[in-house]
Amino acid sequence: MKNGTIWQDICGNDIQAHGGCIIKHGDTYYWYGENKGADNCPGRNRVDVIGVYCYSSKDLVNWKYEGLVFESNKDDPASYIHTSKVMERPKVIYNEKNKNFVLWMHIDSADYTYAGVGIAVSESPTGPFVLKRVTVPNRQDSRDMTIYKDVDGTAYLVHSKDWNKTLNIARLNEDYDDLDGFYVSVMADQEREAPALFFHEGMYYMITSGCTGWNPNAALYARCPQLLGKWKLIDNPCVGENSRMTFFGQSSYIFEVDGRFYLMLDHWIPHNLKKSGYSILPIEIDEKNDITVNWQDEWNGI
């Protein structure tokens, strides 16, 4: 699988799983993401909302298409999930208490002024996911977002707010299907988006993107010994040619395999979004708690 390009599933079809995540359940990996498999709207860097696709794999290379697990509403223009609206950055988390899967996603109006989240649930990792609610979390705008499960099982929505100037870390309830009202704001006025988090040996790490629309920029990483503490921006973790442009990609998620962490990137093609590519790159962590992400031409899985 050549990094930086669109990938194909085991049937030879383009994988449509942009802005998404990879989780493991049992012995299977599931990749969820935005289906952008349509032509761009005339003169615009967007496609009509289709929904969330899911793929499954045992080795993170051979991906089986599992279906459209969450679908947009084609009939009601007033619906928050109508095809004319915005549905981005889907993230799925498993709830051990209820033994179900919870999908969170950025839901917005076409002009990005609503800035909320949608939450849907399913008994199966392959859906279908049923919408429970659309909300503006803690009455604060939510744009680029991710879901993070802490080591104690508590889950959080991490989202850009104040038109991407600041990040919120907002705690979820025990069912993972709503906020419980507690949140902290971090990295105030740093204008970071596309958060991706992981925890390793007593330290939390977060990789984010600058706010330059569809154009690539230099990623930065922050770290903190406490998830809800004072995060410190450190440096660009990327190393190699085009590192100042995050290899012409943008962070979407970080997942773990056998104690190693991997960064997922989207390589957006604004004028032809359905052909936007992917990369998966290993994260290296040294004894000083500094991290690096080196470019690799190929992703060969596990």
Side-chain angles (χ1 to χ4, degrees):
M1 303 176 80
K2 184 175 175 58
N3 279 329
T5 67
I6 189 76
W7 294 345
Q8 283 73 45
D9 64 18
I10 58 175
C11 293
N13 299 312
D14 287 350
I15 292 175
Q16 292 293 332
H18 308 279
C21 69
I22 291 174
I23 68 169
K24 187 178 185 183
H25 187 71
D27 63 352
T28 303
Y29 295 93
Y30 295 93
W31 183 1
Y32 304 90
E34 305 165 39
N35 178 355
K36 293 191 176 297
D39 292 336
N40 277 39
C41 298
R44 302 187 66 186
N45 294 334
R46 62 157 284 144
V47 301
D48 283 342
V49 176
I50 300 170
V52 178
Y53 265 12
C54 175
Y55 299 83
S56 66
S57 176
K58 301 292 187 182
D59 60 7
L60 292 163
V61 170
N62 297 288
W63 292 97
K64 176 187 174 184
Y65 171 60
E66 296 288 356
L68 181 61
V69 297
F70 184 76
E71 188 172 1
S72 63
N73 183 315
K74 300 179 180 65
D75 302 318
D76 181 9
S79 169
Y80 285 112
I81 59 170
H82 186 254
T83 55
S84 63
K85 305 297 175 62
V86 171
M87 184 189 299
E88 296 176 333
R89 297 200 164 262
K91 303 293 185 284
V92 173
I93 184 172
Y94 180 68
N95 185 278
E96 286 85 357
K97 179 172 75 76
N98 297 328
K99 294 181 171 52
N100 64 0
F101 297 82
V102 187
L103 165 67
W104 285 71
M105 56 207 145
H106 172 207
I107 297 293
D108 221 325
S109 51
D111 61 1
Y112 284 90
T113 57
Y114 176 70
V117 292
I119 306 102
V121 298
S122 172
E123 300 303 313
S124 165
T126 55
F129 285 83
V130 177
L131 187 68
K132 290 201 69 172
R133 63 179 55 84
V134 175
T135 186
V136 176
N138 300 307
R139 299 192 296 274
Q140 301 191 49
D141 60 319
S142 176
R143 301 182 189 281
D144 273 14
M145 47 73 58
T146 193
I147 295 295
Y148 177 73
K149 183 188 291 189
D150 203 359
V151 292
D152 65 356
T154 306
Y156 297 84
L157 168 69
V158 184
H159 65 94
S160 300
K161 69 161 191 170
D162 298 340
W163 288 95
N164 295 325
K165 290 186 180 300
T166 299
L167 287 170
N168 265 8
I169 303 176
R171 193 169 61 201
L172 307 189
N173 63 13
E174 291 185 353
D175 296 323
Y176 299 167
D177 64 359
D178 203 355
L179 289 303
D180 75 357
F182 175 81
Y183 68 90
V184 298
S185 297
V186 301
M187 287 185 265
D189 296 320
Q190 296 302 309
E191 298 191 354
R192 309 305 300 171
E193 64 179 8
L197 291 82
F198 72 99
F199 175 81
H200 176 70
E201 294 185 354
M203 187 68 68
Y204 294 90
Y205 300 85
M206 187 189 314
I207 295 177
T208 57
S209 166
C211 299
T212 54
W214 294 107
N215 299 316
N217 57 68
L220 290 176
Y221 79 93
R223 67 183 180 221
C224 188
Q226 298 178 332
L227 178 65
L228 304 175
K230 294 183 178 180
W231 286 79
K232 181 181 179 181
L233 281 169
I234 305 298
D235 202 352
N236 181 356
C238 300
V239 177
E241 188 177 0
N242 301 314
S243 62
R244 298 301 299 172
M245 292 288 105
T246 315
F247 315 118
F248 298 107
Q250 185 185 43
S251 51
S252 58
Y253 196 71
I254 294 170
F255 65 93
E256 182 181 358
V257 180
D258 297 330
R260 293 205 67 186
F261 298 92
Y262 298 88
L263 172 66
M264 301 172 65
L265 296 178
D266 287 292
H267 297 269
W268 299 113
I269 303 176
H271 64 278
N272 191 17
L273 286 167
K274 66 183 178 181
K275 288 296 184 179
S276 298
Y278 312 102
S279 290
I280 296 178
L281 300 171
I283 299 172
E284 303 295 337
I285 311 162
D286 69 16
E287 66 279 359
K288 297 180 181 179
N289 294 321
D290 292 328
I291 67 172
T292 54
V293 178
N294 290 276
W295 176 255
Q296 295 183 353
D297 289 335
E298 298 283 342
W299 167 247
N300 296 311
I302 55 177

